[in-house]
Every structure is written in C-alpha cells, then in structure tokens.
Amino acid sequence: MVSESGGNQSVERASAVLNAFTLGRPALRVSDVAAEVGLGISTTSRLLATLESVDLVRRDPVSQLYELGPAVLTMAGIALNNDPIYRQARPVAQRLAWELGLGANVAVRRGAELFYLLNVEGQLAQKSFSLMGQRNPLHATAMGKSLLLGLAPEQCRELLGPEPLHGFTAHTITTFEALDADLARIASRGYSTEIEELALGRACIAAPVRDHTGAVVAAISLSGALSAIALDEREADLGRTIVEAADSVSIGLGYLGPVHTPVREVR
C-alpha cells in the first residue's frame, strides 16, 4: 500500500506533468516534460504511461509526442456545467456574440489574474482557438479592471505587487495612481474599457457581475479589433449593452441591487 506521503507526492507529480502542457507547447516529448517538471526521464516516462492508461494524456502514434487526453475535456465539461456563473452567463454571451458579431467573454478572478470561463466569437472576432481556461493580467484588461472593483485600494496594491505594474504596450496602466483613477471612473459609469492596453489593435468593454450578496464575482465583456468594436464611435451604446448583460447574469445569480438601509426617524 502506498503511504499517505507517497500518495501525495504522486498526485503532485502527476499534476505537474499535466500542467507542463500549455497553449504554447501543447505537444511534448518525454524529455520536454521531464525538463519542465524537474524529474528524471524514467520517472517521467512512467508517469506519462500511467496518465495515458486513464486517458489524461495521449501519445501521437506517428510523432510519439504526448498531449492532453480526452479525460481532461470530460472533467473540464463537468466543472463548467456545475459552475453557476458559467450556466447563467453562457446564453447571455451567446446572444451578444450573435447580435453584435464581437467576441463575448466571461471571466472570474483567480489570485492576481483573470481566468476565462467562457468565450464566444462572433463573425467579426473569429479566433482559431478558445480562451477558456486561459489567464490574463487584471490591470491591463477591461474584465480585470471590472473584477478589481470588488477590492479596496490597499487590497489592489497588495494583490498586484509593487510599481511599476507590467507594461504590455505603451497604453498599459503601470501606476496605482492611474489605476485608482480609472477604477473610480469605472465605478461611476458602471463599465470598464481597454484600448490596446494588453495587445495592439485590440479593444474591449466590460462590466462587473455580482452575486446575491452584492460581491463582484465575475466580469463579462465584448472584445474585438479596433475597427470592429469601434469604441471611439459607439462606447456609450456598447456600455449600456454590456451593463445590461452583466445585470442579467447578476439577477440570475440572485442579485437584487444595492441594499439601502432606511434612516430611522428620530423622535
């Protein structure tokens, strides 16, 4: 029988092997995986063989490269379909993408990054890959800034780390003073924007999603190329649209709006 400590180590190693596969490197040799996780070739080979036996990885018969297997898709589908935010947001995002032709995205916060639960591509924003499961920075994205609305300024500083914040383009916000000002504008108007802050030629508009307690639990956005989304011409219209979409998802999660405590009459 495997000891508890040995079992934990096996799980950690198996997890490290699975996490070695990324969007940039979806197919790997045994030696690639071994180098990534810091294990010997023989140990890594045995781990991959075990994972292959339960369909968590598969080996291409021609190239002999390993890639993630069908069992991962099955587990991902179960996890998504059990997520209340995904269930409430999916039809809303599909409608937005269909009607506007833009990309419609839903994300939650995982630590100091946003985590995509869902993306639907309209005809003006088609991609050959899915954003689901990918991560992006909070300070350089419209959805990330909407997610930061749930945090106090001191929490943002602790979460995002020291200045300067990482600049992805010349348009990225890199100081907390500028970020605080942007978040104040977002809180006032109800939606956030990002124009070439993460990638040149791209723009996004997003709004926060709240749960039954009023806490910000997700963000929903519309994204696309600058020419497709045309925020310089229709920011107000798209702002109303994305806020209404976020409100729809929030209501589905039980949000009833801000709670105002009545002032007690003094006698």
Side-chain angles (χ1 to χ4, degrees):
M1 180 178 293
V2 178
S3 68
E4 184 177 353
S5 60
N8 288 343
Q9 185 182 61
S10 296
V11 171
E12 290 169 358
R13 286 180 170 182
S15 176
V17 167
L18 293 174
N19 283 315
F21 297 91
T22 65
L23 182 64
R25 303 182 71 195
L28 300 170
R29 299 170 298 181
V30 175
S31 58
D32 296 328
V33 178
E36 182 67 26
V37 301
L39 295 173
I41 295 290
S42 60
T43 301
T44 303
S45 182
R46 288 195 299 271
L47 280 169
L48 286 168
T50 300
L51 293 171
E52 184 181 15
S53 71
V54 291
D55 286 337
L56 286 171
V57 299
R58 62 185 176 191
R59 182 171 49 177
D60 185 277
V62 177
S63 68
Q64 297 297 301
L65 296 177
Y66 283 93
E67 55 191 30
L68 294 176
V72 175
L73 293 176
T74 301
M75 289 187 287
I78 293 170
L80 280 173
N81 289 323
N82 192 51
D83 189 296
I85 296 172
Y86 176 85
R87 293 200 306 268
Q88 291 296 331
R90 183 182 179 189
V92 177
Q94 288 175 324
R95 177 182 56 79
L96 288 174
W98 174 260
E99 291 179 354
L100 299 173
L102 298 169
N105 317 284
V106 178
V108 296
R109 184 172 67 84
R110 292 287 181 267
E113 297 175 307
L114 67 84
F115 179 88
Y116 285 91
L117 282 182
L118 166 69
N119 82 288
V120 184
E121 299 300 334
Q123 60 181 351
L124 300 179
Q126 294 178 352
K127 291 186 178 72
S128 59
F129 58 90
S130 173
L131 291 171
M132 186 177 65
Q134 294 188 47
R135 299 171 184 264
N136 265 331
L138 296 171
H139 71 283
T141 56
M143 281 199 295
K145 287 184 281 188
S146 281
L147 289 168
L148 287 174
L149 289 180
L151 301 177
E154 59 272 16
Q155 291 176 306
C156 287
R157 283 158 172 74
E158 182 178 354
L159 181 69
L160 299 179
E163 292 180 317
L165 302 173
H166 183 73
F168 296 90
T169 74
H171 305 284
T172 308
I173 291 174
T174 58
T175 68
F176 284 112
E177 181 180 5
L179 182 61
D180 288 344
D182 201 16
L183 292 176
R185 287 190 293 270
I186 294 165
S188 175
R189 67 191 182 191
Y191 66 87
S192 55
T193 61
E194 170 233 321
I195 302 175
E196 297 189 299
E197 293 176 45
L198 182 64
L200 296 176
R202 306 285 301 177
C204 185
I205 188 166
V209 171
R210 301 177 184 272
D211 67 4
H212 67 284
T213 69
V216 175
V217 294
I220 186 169
S221 75
L222 290 165
S223 63
L226 292 178
S227 58
I229 196 167
L231 283 181
D232 55 337
E233 300 174 359
R234 52 176 183 161
E235 178 182 323
D237 288 340
L238 290 180
R240 284 191 293 270
T241 297
I242 203 63
V243 168
E244 289 172 1
D247 286 347
S248 175
V249 179
S250 298
I251 291 169
L253 294 173
Y255 179 61
L256 300 177
V259 177
H260 299 288
T261 304
V263 178
R264 182 176 297 177
E265 183 179 353
V266 178
R267 296 181 179 180

Short mmCIF file of all heavy atoms in Angstrom, two decimals, residues 115-168:
data_model
loop_
_atom_site.label_atom_id
_atom_site.label_comp_id
_atom_site.label_asym_id
_atom_site.label_seq_id
_atom_site.Cartn_x
_atom_site.Cartn_y
_atom_site.Cartn_z
N PHE A 115 -9.39 34.68 -15.04
CA PHE A 115 -9.47 33.32 -15.54
C PHE A 115 -10.71 33.21 -16.42
O PHE A 115 -11.82 33.46 -15.96
CB PHE A 115 -9.55 32.34 -14.37
CG PHE A 115 -9.65 30.89 -14.75
CD1 PHE A 115 -8.51 30.13 -14.96
CD2 PHE A 115 -10.89 30.28 -14.89
CE1 PHE A 115 -8.61 28.78 -15.30
CE2 PHE A 115 -11.00 28.95 -15.22
CZ PHE A 115 -9.85 28.19 -15.43
N TYR A 116 -10.52 32.87 -17.71
CA TYR A 116 -11.65 32.81 -18.63
C TYR A 116 -12.50 31.57 -18.39
O TYR A 116 -12.01 30.44 -18.46
CB TYR A 116 -11.15 32.77 -20.08
CG TYR A 116 -10.64 34.09 -20.60
CD1 TYR A 116 -9.30 34.43 -20.50
CD2 TYR A 116 -11.50 34.99 -21.23
CE1 TYR A 116 -8.82 35.64 -20.98
CE2 TYR A 116 -11.03 36.20 -21.72
CZ TYR A 116 -9.69 36.52 -21.59
OH TYR A 116 -9.23 37.71 -22.08
N LEU A 117 -13.78 31.78 -18.10
CA LEU A 117 -14.73 30.68 -18.01
C LEU A 117 -15.36 30.38 -19.36
O LEU A 117 -15.75 29.24 -19.63
CB LEU A 117 -15.86 31.02 -17.03
CG LEU A 117 -15.61 30.93 -15.54
CD1 LEU A 117 -16.90 31.27 -14.80
CD2 LEU A 117 -15.11 29.55 -15.15
N LEU A 118 -15.46 31.40 -20.19
CA LEU A 118 -16.25 31.27 -21.41
C LEU A 118 -15.85 32.33 -22.41
O LEU A 118 -15.57 33.47 -22.04
CB LEU A 118 -17.74 31.45 -21.04
CG LEU A 118 -18.78 31.67 -22.13
CD1 LEU A 118 -18.95 30.41 -22.96
CD2 LEU A 118 -20.11 32.08 -21.49
N ASN A 119 -15.78 31.96 -23.68
CA ASN A 119 -15.71 32.97 -24.73
C ASN A 119 -16.45 32.46 -25.96
O ASN A 119 -16.38 31.29 -26.31
CB ASN A 119 -14.27 33.36 -25.06
CG ASN A 119 -13.59 32.41 -26.02
OD1 ASN A 119 -13.25 31.29 -25.65
ND2 ASN A 119 -13.38 32.85 -27.24
N VAL A 120 -17.20 33.37 -26.56
CA VAL A 120 -17.97 33.07 -27.76
C VAL A 120 -17.56 34.09 -28.81
O VAL A 120 -17.60 35.29 -28.55
CB VAL A 120 -19.49 33.16 -27.51
CG1 VAL A 120 -20.26 32.74 -28.76
CG2 VAL A 120 -19.90 32.31 -26.32
N GLU A 121 -17.15 33.61 -29.97
CA GLU A 121 -16.67 34.52 -31.01
C GLU A 121 -17.74 34.81 -32.05
O GLU A 121 -18.32 33.88 -32.63
CB GLU A 121 -15.44 33.91 -31.70
CG GLU A 121 -14.27 33.66 -30.75
CD GLU A 121 -13.76 34.92 -30.08
OE1 GLU A 121 -13.94 36.01 -30.65
OE2 GLU A 121 -13.20 34.82 -28.98
N GLY A 122 -18.01 36.10 -32.27
CA GLY A 122 -18.91 36.49 -33.34
C GLY A 122 -18.18 36.52 -34.67
O GLY A 122 -16.96 36.33 -34.75
N GLN A 123 -18.91 36.79 -35.73
CA GLN A 123 -18.32 36.73 -37.08
C GLN A 123 -17.27 37.80 -37.32
O GLN A 123 -16.43 37.66 -38.22
CB GLN A 123 -19.43 36.86 -38.12
CG GLN A 123 -20.22 38.16 -38.05
CD GLN A 123 -21.32 38.23 -39.09
OE1 GLN A 123 -21.40 37.39 -39.98
NE2 GLN A 123 -22.19 39.23 -38.98
N LEU A 124 -17.25 38.86 -36.51
CA LEU A 124 -16.24 39.92 -36.67
C LEU A 124 -15.03 39.70 -35.77
O LEU A 124 -14.09 40.49 -35.81
CB LEU A 124 -16.86 41.28 -36.35
CG LEU A 124 -18.05 41.71 -37.22
CD1 LEU A 124 -18.58 43.07 -36.76
CD2 LEU A 124 -17.66 41.75 -38.69
N ALA A 125 -15.07 38.66 -34.95
CA ALA A 125 -13.98 38.46 -33.98
C ALA A 125 -13.61 36.98 -33.89
O ALA A 125 -13.39 36.45 -32.81
CB ALA A 125 -14.41 38.98 -32.62
N GLN A 126 -13.54 36.34 -35.01
CA GLN A 126 -13.29 34.90 -35.01
C GLN A 126 -11.84 34.59 -34.65
O GLN A 126 -10.92 35.27 -35.07
CB GLN A 126 -13.63 34.31 -36.37
CG GLN A 126 -15.13 34.39 -36.69
CD GLN A 126 -15.46 33.85 -38.07
OE1 GLN A 126 -14.58 33.56 -38.85
NE2 GLN A 126 -16.74 33.71 -38.36
N LYS A 127 -11.67 33.53 -33.85
CA LYS A 127 -10.34 33.02 -33.49
C LYS A 127 -10.29 31.53 -33.82
O LYS A 127 -11.32 30.87 -33.87
CB LYS A 127 -10.07 33.21 -31.99
CG LYS A 127 -9.89 34.64 -31.53
CD LYS A 127 -9.49 34.65 -30.06
CE LYS A 127 -9.23 36.07 -29.56
NZ LYS A 127 -10.49 36.81 -29.42
N SER A 128 -9.09 31.03 -34.00
CA SER A 128 -8.92 29.61 -34.26
C SER A 128 -8.65 28.84 -32.97
O SER A 128 -8.28 27.67 -33.01
CB SER A 128 -7.75 29.38 -35.23
OG SER A 128 -6.55 29.92 -34.70
N PHE A 129 -8.82 29.51 -31.82
CA PHE A 129 -8.57 28.85 -30.55
C PHE A 129 -9.56 29.40 -29.52
O PHE A 129 -10.19 30.43 -29.72
CB PHE A 129 -7.14 29.11 -30.07
CG PHE A 129 -6.80 30.57 -29.92
CD1 PHE A 129 -7.02 31.24 -28.72
CD2 PHE A 129 -6.29 31.30 -30.99
CE1 PHE A 129 -6.73 32.58 -28.59
CE2 PHE A 129 -5.99 32.64 -30.86
CZ PHE A 129 -6.21 33.29 -29.66
N SER A 130 -9.69 28.67 -28.42
CA SER A 130 -10.59 29.07 -27.34
C SER A 130 -9.81 29.74 -26.22
O SER A 130 -8.69 29.34 -25.90
CB SER A 130 -11.32 27.85 -26.78
OG SER A 130 -12.07 28.20 -25.63
N LEU A 131 -10.39 30.77 -25.61
CA LEU A 131 -9.77 31.44 -24.47
C LEU A 131 -10.09 30.74 -23.15
O LEU A 131 -9.49 31.05 -22.13
CB LEU A 131 -10.25 32.89 -24.39
CG LEU A 131 -9.75 33.83 -25.48
CD1 LEU A 131 -10.47 35.18 -25.40
CD2 LEU A 131 -8.25 34.03 -25.38
N MET A 132 -11.04 29.82 -23.17
CA MET A 132 -11.49 29.16 -21.94
C MET A 132 -10.32 28.53 -21.20
O MET A 132 -9.52 27.80 -21.77
CB MET A 132 -12.52 28.08 -22.27
CG MET A 132 -13.15 27.43 -21.07
SD MET A 132 -14.41 26.23 -21.55
CE MET A 132 -13.43 24.99 -22.39
N GLY A 133 -10.20 28.85 -19.92
CA GLY A 133 -9.13 28.31 -19.09
C GLY A 133 -7.85 29.12 -19.12
O GLY A 133 -6.95 28.87 -18.31
N GLN A 134 -7.75 30.08 -20.02
CA GLN A 134 -6.55 30.91 -20.08
C GLN A 134 -6.62 32.03 -19.04
O GLN A 134 -7.69 32.34 -18.50
CB GLN A 134 -6.36 31.49 -21.48
CG GLN A 134 -6.07 30.44 -22.54
CD GLN A 134 -5.70 31.07 -23.87
OE1 GLN A 134 -4.89 31.97 -23.95
NE2 GLN A 134 -6.31 30.57 -24.94
N ARG A 135 -5.49 32.65 -18.79
CA ARG A 135 -5.39 33.71 -17.80
C ARG A 135 -4.81 34.98 -18.41
O ARG A 135 -4.04 34.91 -19.36
CB ARG A 135 -4.52 33.26 -16.62
CG ARG A 135 -5.06 32.04 -15.88
CD ARG A 135 -4.07 31.51 -14.87
NE ARG A 135 -4.53 30.30 -14.23
CZ ARG A 135 -5.15 30.24 -13.05
NH1 ARG A 135 -5.35 31.38 -12.37
NH2 ARG A 135 -5.54 29.10 -12.53
N ASN A 136 -5.19 36.12 -17.85
CA ASN A 136 -4.64 37.40 -18.28
C ASN A 136 -4.48 38.31 -17.06
O ASN A 136 -5.13 38.08 -16.02
CB ASN A 136 -5.56 38.06 -19.32
CG ASN A 136 -5.12 37.78 -20.74
OD1 ASN A 136 -3.94 37.58 -21.01
ND2 ASN A 136 -6.07 37.75 -21.67
N PRO A 137 -3.67 39.35 -17.16
CA PRO A 137 -3.48 40.26 -16.02
C PRO A 137 -4.73 41.08 -15.74
O PRO A 137 -5.54 41.34 -16.65
CB PRO A 137 -2.32 41.13 -16.48
CG PRO A 137 -2.38 41.10 -17.97
CD PRO A 137 -2.84 39.72 -18.32
N LEU A 138 -4.89 41.49 -14.52
CA LEU A 138 -6.06 42.28 -14.13
C LEU A 138 -5.94 43.73 -14.55
O LEU A 138 -6.91 44.32 -15.06
CB LEU A 138 -6.26 42.19 -12.62
CG LEU A 138 -6.57 40.81 -12.05
CD1 LEU A 138 -6.53 40.85 -10.52
CD2 LEU A 138 -7.93 40.32 -12.52
N HIS A 139 -4.77 44.35 -14.36
CA HIS A 139 -4.64 45.79 -14.55
C HIS A 139 -4.63 46.21 -16.01
O HIS A 139 -4.86 47.38 -16.32
CB HIS A 139 -3.36 46.31 -13.88
CG HIS A 139 -2.11 45.89 -14.58
ND1 HIS A 139 -1.59 44.61 -14.47
CD2 HIS A 139 -1.26 46.56 -15.41
CE1 HIS A 139 -0.49 44.52 -15.18
NE2 HIS A 139 -0.25 45.68 -15.77
N ALA A 140 -4.42 45.26 -16.94
CA ALA A 140 -4.27 45.60 -18.35
C ALA A 140 -5.45 45.13 -19.20
O ALA A 140 -5.37 45.14 -20.42
CB ALA A 140 -2.97 45.00 -18.90
N THR A 141 -6.55 44.74 -18.56
CA THR A 141 -7.72 44.25 -19.29
C THR A 141 -8.99 44.88 -18.76
O THR A 141 -9.07 45.22 -17.56
CB THR A 141 -7.84 42.71 -19.15
OG1 THR A 141 -7.89 42.37 -17.76
CG2 THR A 141 -6.67 42.00 -19.81
N ALA A 142 -9.98 45.03 -19.61
CA ALA A 142 -11.25 45.61 -19.18
C ALA A 142 -11.93 44.71 -18.16
O ALA A 142 -12.46 45.18 -17.14
CB ALA A 142 -12.16 45.84 -20.39
N MET A 143 -11.94 43.40 -18.41
CA MET A 143 -12.57 42.49 -17.45
C MET A 143 -11.81 42.50 -16.13
O MET A 143 -12.41 42.45 -15.06
CB MET A 143 -12.65 41.07 -18.02
CG MET A 143 -13.78 40.87 -19.00
SD MET A 143 -14.23 39.14 -19.25
CE MET A 143 -12.74 38.51 -20.00
N GLY A 144 -10.48 42.55 -16.21
CA GLY A 144 -9.69 42.58 -14.99
C GLY A 144 -10.00 43.79 -14.14
O GLY A 144 -10.13 43.69 -12.91
N LYS A 145 -10.14 44.94 -14.78
CA LYS A 145 -10.44 46.16 -14.03
C LYS A 145 -11.84 46.11 -13.43
O LYS A 145 -12.06 46.59 -12.30
CB LYS A 145 -10.25 47.38 -14.92
CG LYS A 145 -8.77 47.68 -15.18
CD LYS A 145 -8.55 48.94 -15.98
CE LYS A 145 -8.78 48.74 -17.47
NZ LYS A 145 -8.38 49.93 -18.26
N SER A 146 -12.78 45.50 -14.13
CA SER A 146 -14.12 45.31 -13.55
C SER A 146 -14.06 44.40 -12.34
O SER A 146 -14.74 44.62 -11.33
CB SER A 146 -15.07 44.74 -14.60
OG SER A 146 -15.54 45.74 -15.49
N LEU A 147 -13.22 43.37 -12.40
CA LEU A 147 -13.07 42.45 -11.27
C LEU A 147 -12.42 43.15 -10.08
O LEU A 147 -12.71 42.82 -8.93
CB LEU A 147 -12.24 41.24 -11.69
CG LEU A 147 -12.92 40.26 -12.65
CD1 LEU A 147 -11.90 39.28 -13.22
CD2 LEU A 147 -14.05 39.51 -11.95
N LEU A 148 -11.55 44.12 -10.33
CA LEU A 148 -10.89 44.84 -9.24
C LEU A 148 -11.83 45.76 -8.49
O LEU A 148 -11.50 46.22 -7.38
CB LEU A 148 -9.71 45.65 -9.79
CG LEU A 148 -8.47 44.86 -10.21
CD1 LEU A 148 -7.45 45.76 -10.87
CD2 LEU A 148 -7.86 44.13 -9.01
N LEU A 149 -13.01 46.03 -9.04
CA LEU A 149 -13.98 46.88 -8.34
C LEU A 149 -14.40 46.28 -7.01
O LEU A 149 -14.88 46.98 -6.13
CB LEU A 149 -15.22 47.12 -9.21
CG LEU A 149 -15.05 48.02 -10.43
CD1 LEU A 149 -16.37 48.13 -11.17
CD2 LEU A 149 -14.56 49.39 -10.02
N GLY A 150 -14.24 44.97 -6.87
CA GLY A 150 -14.62 44.33 -5.62
C GLY A 150 -13.58 44.46 -4.52
O GLY A 150 -13.79 43.96 -3.41
N LEU A 151 -12.47 45.16 -4.79
CA LEU A 151 -11.38 45.26 -3.83
C LEU A 151 -11.14 46.72 -3.42
O LEU A 151 -11.33 47.64 -4.22
CB LEU A 151 -10.08 44.70 -4.43
CG LEU A 151 -10.11 43.23 -4.88
CD1 LEU A 151 -8.78 42.87 -5.51
CD2 LEU A 151 -10.43 42.31 -3.72
N ALA A 152 -10.69 46.91 -2.20
CA ALA A 152 -10.29 48.24 -1.73
C ALA A 152 -8.93 48.57 -2.33
O ALA A 152 -8.18 47.68 -2.73
CB ALA A 152 -10.22 48.25 -0.21
N PRO A 153 -8.58 49.87 -2.42
CA PRO A 153 -7.28 50.27 -3.00
C PRO A 153 -6.09 49.56 -2.37
O PRO A 153 -5.17 49.14 -3.08
CB PRO A 153 -7.24 51.78 -2.75
CG PRO A 153 -8.68 52.19 -2.73
CD PRO A 153 -9.40 51.05 -2.09
N GLU A 154 -6.09 49.41 -1.05
CA GLU A 154 -4.96 48.75 -0.40
C GLU A 154 -4.90 47.26 -0.77
O GLU A 154 -3.82 46.67 -0.86
CB GLU A 154 -5.01 48.92 1.12
CG GLU A 154 -6.26 48.39 1.79
CD GLU A 154 -7.39 49.41 1.86
OE1 GLU A 154 -7.33 50.42 1.12
OE2 GLU A 154 -8.33 49.19 2.65
N GLN A 155 -6.06 46.67 -0.99
CA GLN A 155 -6.09 45.26 -1.43
C GLN A 155 -5.54 45.12 -2.84
O GLN A 155 -4.84 44.15 -3.14
CB GLN A 155 -7.52 44.72 -1.36
CG GLN A 155 -8.06 44.55 0.04
CD GLN A 155 -9.52 44.10 0.04
OE1 GLN A 155 -10.38 44.72 -0.58
NE2 GLN A 155 -9.79 43.00 0.71
N CYS A 156 -5.84 46.08 -3.70
CA CYS A 156 -5.30 46.07 -5.07
C CYS A 156 -3.78 46.14 -5.04
O CYS A 156 -3.11 45.42 -5.78
CB CYS A 156 -5.86 47.25 -5.87
SG CYS A 156 -7.58 47.07 -6.36
N ARG A 157 -3.26 47.00 -4.20
CA ARG A 157 -1.80 47.15 -4.12
C ARG A 157 -1.14 45.86 -3.62
O ARG A 157 -0.10 45.45 -4.14
CB ARG A 157 -1.46 48.33 -3.21
CG ARG A 157 -1.66 49.68 -3.88
CD ARG A 157 -1.86 50.80 -2.88
NE ARG A 157 -1.85 52.10 -3.54
CZ ARG A 157 -2.85 52.58 -4.27
NH1 ARG A 157 -3.93 51.84 -4.46
NH2 ARG A 157 -2.78 53.78 -4.83
N GLU A 158 -1.75 45.26 -2.62
CA GLU A 158 -1.19 44.02 -2.08
C GLU A 158 -1.28 42.90 -3.12
O GLU A 158 -0.36 42.08 -3.25
CB GLU A 158 -1.94 43.63 -0.81
CG GLU A 158 -1.41 42.36 -0.16
CD GLU A 158 -2.15 42.02 1.12
OE1 GLU A 158 -3.00 42.83 1.56
OE2 GLU A 158 -1.89 40.95 1.68
N LEU A 159 -2.36 42.88 -3.88
CA LEU A 159 -2.59 41.81 -4.85
C LEU A 159 -1.68 41.94 -6.06
O LEU A 159 -1.08 40.96 -6.51
CB LEU A 159 -4.05 41.84 -5.30
CG LEU A 159 -4.49 40.77 -6.31
CD1 LEU A 159 -4.48 39.39 -5.67
CD2 LEU A 159 -5.87 41.10 -6.85
N LEU A 160 -1.55 43.15 -6.60
CA LEU A 160 -0.86 43.35 -7.87
C LEU A 160 0.64 43.54 -7.73
O LEU A 160 1.37 43.48 -8.73
CB LEU A 160 -1.47 44.54 -8.61
CG LEU A 160 -2.96 44.40 -8.97
CD1 LEU A 160 -3.45 45.65 -9.69
CD2 LEU A 160 -3.21 43.17 -9.82
N GLY A 161 1.11 43.80 -6.51
CA GLY A 161 2.55 43.90 -6.32
C GLY A 161 3.08 45.30 -6.49
O GLY A 161 2.32 46.26 -6.68
N PRO A 162 4.38 45.46 -6.42
CA PRO A 162 4.99 46.80 -6.44
C PRO A 162 4.91 47.46 -7.81
O PRO A 162 4.79 46.80 -8.84
CB PRO A 162 6.45 46.53 -6.06
CG PRO A 162 6.70 45.12 -6.53
CD PRO A 162 5.40 44.39 -6.31
N GLU A 163 4.96 48.78 -7.79
CA GLU A 163 5.07 49.54 -9.04
C GLU A 163 6.50 49.46 -9.57
O GLU A 163 7.44 49.27 -8.79
CB GLU A 163 4.70 51.01 -8.79
CG GLU A 163 3.26 51.25 -8.47
CD GLU A 163 2.97 52.73 -8.24
OE1 GLU A 163 3.79 53.40 -7.56
OE2 GLU A 163 1.95 53.21 -8.73
N PRO A 164 6.69 49.65 -10.87
CA PRO A 164 5.61 49.82 -11.85
C PRO A 164 4.96 48.49 -12.20
O PRO A 164 5.61 47.44 -12.19
CB PRO A 164 6.36 50.40 -13.07
CG PRO A 164 7.73 49.81 -12.96
CD PRO A 164 8.03 49.73 -11.48
N LEU A 165 3.65 48.54 -12.47
CA LEU A 165 2.95 47.36 -12.96
C LEU A 165 3.46 47.04 -14.36
O LEU A 165 3.92 47.92 -15.08
CB LEU A 165 1.45 47.62 -12.98
CG LEU A 165 0.82 48.01 -11.63
CD1 LEU A 165 -0.63 48.40 -11.81
CD2 LEU A 165 0.97 46.89 -10.63
N HIS A 166 3.37 45.77 -14.73
CA HIS A 166 3.95 45.37 -16.01
C HIS A 166 3.26 46.08 -17.18
O HIS A 166 2.03 46.10 -17.27
CB HIS A 166 3.84 43.86 -16.19
CG HIS A 166 4.47 43.37 -17.46
ND1 HIS A 166 5.84 43.30 -17.62
CD2 HIS A 166 3.93 42.94 -18.63
CE1 HIS A 166 6.12 42.84 -18.83
NE2 HIS A 166 4.97 42.62 -19.46
N GLY A 167 4.04 46.66 -18.06
CA GLY A 167 3.50 47.32 -19.24
C GLY A 167 3.57 46.41 -20.45
O GLY A 167 4.66 46.02 -20.88
N PHE A 168 2.43 46.09 -21.01
CA PHE A 168 2.38 45.22 -22.18
C PHE A 168 2.48 46.03 -23.47
O PHE A 168 3.00 45.55 -24.48
CB PHE A 168 1.09 44.40 -22.18
CG PHE A 168 1.00 43.45 -21.02
CD1 PHE A 168 0.42 43.85 -19.82
CD2 PHE A 168 1.50 42.16 -21.12
CE1 PHE A 168 0.35 42.98 -18.74
CE2 PHE A 168 1.44 41.28 -20.05
CZ PHE A 168 0.86 41.70 -18.86
#
